[in-house]
Amino acid sequence: MSPAPIAHASNAKSRIGAILRATSGNFLEQFDFFLFGFYASAIGNAFFPSGSETASLLNTFGVFWLGALMRPVGAIVLGAYIDQIGRRQGLIITLSIMAIGTIIIAFCPGYATIGIAAPAIVLFGRLLQGFSAGVEVGGVSVYLSEIATPGNRGFYTSFQSSSQQVAIFVAALIGYFLSEALPAEMVAAWGWRIPFFLGCLIVPLIFFLRRTLDETPEFLVMKNHPTAREVFASTLANWRIVILGMMIAMLTTTTFYFVTVYTPTFGRHVLQLSTQNTLLVTLLVAVTNFMWNPIGGAISDRIGRKPVLLTIAGLALVTAYPALSWLVTDPSFGKMLIVEMMFSFYFGTYSGAMLGALVEIVPKHIRTTCFSLAFALAAALFGTFTPLASTWLIDRTDDKASPGFWLMFAALLGIIAALTIYPGNTKRVAKAVATRAA
């Protein structure tokens, strides 16, 4: 074998290793987020007991959402740190904070044991998780974009989202075997903690992987790294880009939290399907999410971000409510699987293109902060609000398909944002955006 192919193979192996190490923290984040949503009923009974199951669920999803409101704070504070100090060190800090929040929730005694202190402690754990998650997505996406080979930025950044699907798959698999091994009453009483404990056990491995990361060449060659004050001032000056970035990320976050965090609750408590069926659907959704993300990223690298974003958002706008209406009319495992596969296609393909677009439209010197803030706002105000919004809509309207309106709203804003960011000729604008981001 000639030296060139050997070097190429070695370089490819190195990049794959960097992708795995960078995205490892995403695994812990989404592993815990999914478990919080899947065991929302049990968590509600343990920490937020109420005479009404709906009220208990609303309290649980409310804490889930309140934790997410810390995302924009984390995006600004930790994002400025990463833009100033470096990608590698910043990703280690975010993992540390995320791990502390996970451990707090896993080991917190229930309301019956310590009273009002229990929900307060859980809320604190969620606030820590939200704070670190605010920059985790942005930090990893920026890292992947800066190690990407020319013309493949969308493909590389898509693995940020794909890595989260691995966490969903593993968490759902654990939940499936747990529901098979233990009676439902035992899972509700204490068995739900087992997956959280397992998440704590993998923390040391993820720390090891993150510590072996190299700094990105693009960051190392930057002559000037902005101070925190300069990052804050520049981010404020680019507020329009941040708002557009939030709008373009909304469809990603709302569909993701619908098909992962909310789907198990939707399947069991709204459609009255079995735990095993809803978990199986979630498992399959995680697999297809993993596949569609890099496909969407790669397609957008070839034909441009705008056509992918507009096509998927348009489809979501016209099909979200009709699809859910068809599902709730006569719920079954097969119908739920079909609808969830459709939403999985929307999420994965759109997300693969969106991540590349978001990296490209934000200013290079404050890339992590602007990206993270835009995505954090989308996740905090809309994405993680999806379980709460869906539960509230169904309760208020008595229409089990009403969460479709929430998804349609996100799709509409995504269309508006894409048309604003990419006006006129797609290829010409895409080239200009790529040049500005380089």
Side-chain angles (χ1 to χ4, degrees), residues 315-328:
L315 287 172
L317 181 63
V318 300
T319 63
Y321 182 78
L324 286 177
S325 295
W326 174 72
L327 169 60
V328 302

PDB file of all heavy atoms in Angstrom, residues 315-328:
ATOM      1  N   LEU A 315     -43.590  20.129   4.537  1.00  0.00           N
ATOM      2  CA  LEU A 315     -44.285  18.858   4.762  1.00  0.00           C
ATOM      3  C   LEU A 315     -44.844  18.776   6.186  1.00  0.00           C
ATOM      4  O   LEU A 315     -45.975  18.326   6.391  1.00  0.00           O
ATOM      5  CB  LEU A 315     -43.316  17.691   4.514  1.00  0.00           C
ATOM      6  CG  LEU A 315     -42.951  17.406   3.056  1.00  0.00           C
ATOM      7  CD1 LEU A 315     -41.842  16.358   2.981  1.00  0.00           C
ATOM      8  CD2 LEU A 315     -44.182  16.927   2.282  1.00  0.00           C
ATOM      9  N   ALA A 316     -44.047  19.222   7.153  1.00  0.00           N
ATOM     10  CA  ALA A 316     -44.504  19.188   8.544  1.00  0.00           C
ATOM     11  C   ALA A 316     -45.715  20.103   8.740  1.00  0.00           C
ATOM     12  O   ALA A 316     -46.659  19.765   9.476  1.00  0.00           O
ATOM     13  CB  ALA A 316     -43.366  19.605   9.474  1.00  0.00           C
ATOM     14  N   LEU A 317     -45.704  21.240   8.069  1.00  0.00           N
ATOM     15  CA  LEU A 317     -46.796  22.208   8.218  1.00  0.00           C
ATOM     16  C   LEU A 317     -48.126  21.629   7.760  1.00  0.00           C
ATOM     17  O   LEU A 317     -49.172  21.871   8.392  1.00  0.00           O
ATOM     18  CB  LEU A 317     -46.465  23.476   7.423  1.00  0.00           C
ATOM     19  CG  LEU A 317     -47.495  24.607   7.476  1.00  0.00           C
ATOM     20  CD1 LEU A 317     -47.638  25.136   8.901  1.00  0.00           C
ATOM     21  CD2 LEU A 317     -47.109  25.731   6.524  1.00  0.00           C
ATOM     22  N   VAL A 318     -48.124  20.860   6.685  1.00  0.00           N
ATOM     23  CA  VAL A 318     -49.390  20.376   6.117  1.00  0.00           C
ATOM     24  C   VAL A 318     -49.785  18.986   6.605  1.00  0.00           C
ATOM     25  O   VAL A 318     -50.927  18.559   6.377  1.00  0.00           O
ATOM     26  CB  VAL A 318     -49.338  20.392   4.570  1.00  0.00           C
ATOM     27  CG1 VAL A 318     -49.097  21.800   4.056  1.00  0.00           C
ATOM     28  CG2 VAL A 318     -48.279  19.440   4.041  1.00  0.00           C
ATOM     29  N   THR A 319     -48.892  18.274   7.277  1.00  0.00           N
ATOM     30  CA  THR A 319     -49.213  16.883   7.646  1.00  0.00           C
ATOM     31  C   THR A 319     -49.269  16.611   9.138  1.00  0.00           C
ATOM     32  O   THR A 319     -49.798  15.574   9.552  1.00  0.00           O
ATOM     33  CB  THR A 319     -48.191  15.904   7.027  1.00  0.00           C
ATOM     34  OG1 THR A 319     -46.881  16.178   7.569  1.00  0.00           O
ATOM     35  CG2 THR A 319     -48.147  16.024   5.512  1.00  0.00           C
ATOM     36  N   ALA A 320     -48.713  17.489   9.994  1.00  0.00           N
ATOM     37  CA  ALA A 320     -48.595  17.178  11.420  1.00  0.00           C
ATOM     38  C   ALA A 320     -49.954  16.888  12.065  1.00  0.00           C
ATOM     39  O   ALA A 320     -50.143  15.826  12.682  1.00  0.00           O
ATOM     40  CB  ALA A 320     -47.890  18.320  12.152  1.00  0.00           C
ATOM     41  N   TYR A 321     -50.901  17.805  11.939  1.00  0.00           N
ATOM     42  CA  TYR A 321     -52.202  17.596  12.576  1.00  0.00           C
ATOM     43  C   TYR A 321     -53.010  16.475  11.910  1.00  0.00           C
ATOM     44  O   TYR A 321     -53.568  15.615  12.615  1.00  0.00           O
ATOM     45  CB  TYR A 321     -53.012  18.887  12.590  1.00  0.00           C
ATOM     46  CG  TYR A 321     -54.351  18.735  13.278  1.00  0.00           C
ATOM     47  CD1 TYR A 321     -54.419  18.717  14.668  1.00  0.00           C
ATOM     48  CD2 TYR A 321     -55.519  18.589  12.544  1.00  0.00           C
ATOM     49  CE1 TYR A 321     -55.637  18.551  15.316  1.00  0.00           C
ATOM     50  CE2 TYR A 321     -56.741  18.425  13.170  1.00  0.00           C
ATOM     51  CZ  TYR A 321     -56.800  18.405  14.558  1.00  0.00           C
ATOM     52  OH  TYR A 321     -58.010  18.232  15.192  1.00  0.00           O
ATOM     53  N   PRO A 322     -53.094  16.427  10.570  1.00  0.00           N
ATOM     54  CA  PRO A 322     -53.829  15.312   9.949  1.00  0.00           C
ATOM     55  C   PRO A 322     -53.277  13.944  10.345  1.00  0.00           C
ATOM     56  O   PRO A 322     -54.045  12.995  10.560  1.00  0.00           O
ATOM     57  CB  PRO A 322     -53.644  15.574   8.450  1.00  0.00           C
ATOM     58  CG  PRO A 322     -53.444  17.051   8.348  1.00  0.00           C
ATOM     59  CD  PRO A 322     -52.653  17.415   9.564  1.00  0.00           C
ATOM     60  N   ALA A 323     -51.956  13.828  10.445  1.00  0.00           N
ATOM     61  CA  ALA A 323     -51.361  12.540  10.807  1.00  0.00           C
ATOM     62  C   ALA A 323     -51.746  12.139  12.228  1.00  0.00           C
ATOM     63  O   ALA A 323     -52.097  10.971  12.493  1.00  0.00           O
ATOM     64  CB  ALA A 323     -49.840  12.615  10.675  1.00  0.00           C
ATOM     65  N   LEU A 324     -51.693  13.088  13.158  1.00  0.00           N
ATOM     66  CA  LEU A 324     -52.065  12.774  14.535  1.00  0.00           C
ATOM     67  C   LEU A 324     -53.566  12.512  14.654  1.00  0.00           C
ATOM     68  O   LEU A 324     -53.993  11.662  15.448  1.00  0.00           O
ATOM     69  CB  LEU A 324     -51.650  13.918  15.458  1.00  0.00           C
ATOM     70  CG  LEU A 324     -50.150  14.027  15.751  1.00  0.00           C
ATOM     71  CD1 LEU A 324     -49.847  15.247  16.609  1.00  0.00           C
ATOM     72  CD2 LEU A 324     -49.644  12.762  16.448  1.00  0.00           C
ATOM     73  N   SER A 325     -54.364  13.187  13.866  1.00  0.00           N
ATOM     74  CA  SER A 325     -55.815  12.935  13.864  1.00  0.00           C
ATOM     75  C   SER A 325     -56.111  11.517  13.413  1.00  0.00           C
ATOM     76  O   SER A 325     -56.965  10.826  13.990  1.00  0.00           O
ATOM     77  CB  SER A 325     -56.531  13.938  12.951  1.00  0.00           C
ATOM     78  OG  SER A 325     -56.412  15.252  13.431  1.00  0.00           O
ATOM     79  N   TRP A 326     -55.418  11.088  12.384  1.00  0.00           N
ATOM     80  CA  TRP A 326     -55.579   9.708  11.899  1.00  0.00           C
ATOM     81  C   TRP A 326     -55.159   8.705  12.967  1.00  0.00           C
ATOM     82  O   TRP A 326     -55.808   7.679  13.158  1.00  0.00           O
ATOM     83  CB  TRP A 326     -54.739   9.535  10.632  1.00  0.00           C
ATOM     84  CG  TRP A 326     -54.691   8.135  10.110  1.00  0.00           C
ATOM     85  CD1 TRP A 326     -55.698   7.461   9.499  1.00  0.00           C
ATOM     86  CD2 TRP A 326     -53.571   7.240  10.163  1.00  0.00           C
ATOM     87  NE1 TRP A 326     -55.274   6.179   9.152  1.00  0.00           N
ATOM     88  CE2 TRP A 326     -53.975   6.030   9.542  1.00  0.00           C
ATOM     89  CE3 TRP A 326     -52.272   7.344  10.651  1.00  0.00           C
ATOM     90  CZ2 TRP A 326     -53.120   4.937   9.421  1.00  0.00           C
ATOM     91  CZ3 TRP A 326     -51.418   6.269  10.531  1.00  0.00           C
ATOM     92  CH2 TRP A 326     -51.841   5.073   9.923  1.00  0.00           C
ATOM     93  N   LEU A 327     -54.098   9.027  13.707  1.00  0.00           N
ATOM     94  CA  LEU A 327     -53.600   8.119  14.736  1.00  0.00           C
ATOM     95  C   LEU A 327     -54.577   7.999  15.897  1.00  0.00           C
ATOM     96  O   LEU A 327     -54.881   6.884  16.352  1.00  0.00           O
ATOM     97  CB  LEU A 327     -52.240   8.612  15.234  1.00  0.00           C
ATOM     98  CG  LEU A 327     -51.676   7.945  16.500  1.00  0.00           C
ATOM     99  CD1 LEU A 327     -51.482   6.442  16.283  1.00  0.00           C
ATOM    100  CD2 LEU A 327     -50.366   8.607  16.906  1.00  0.00           C
ATOM    101  N   VAL A 328     -55.078   9.114  16.400  1.00  0.00           N
ATOM    102  CA  VAL A 328     -55.890   9.073  17.620  1.00  0.00           C
ATOM    103  C   VAL A 328     -57.309   8.573  17.364  1.00  0.00           C
ATOM    104  O   VAL A 328     -58.014   8.205  18.307  1.00  0.00           O
ATOM    105  CB  VAL A 328     -55.947  10.475  18.283  1.00  0.00           C
ATOM    106  CG1 VAL A 328     -54.547  10.974  18.606  1.00  0.00           C
ATOM    107  CG2 VAL A 328     -56.700  11.482  17.415  1.00  0.00           C
TER     108      VAL A 328
END
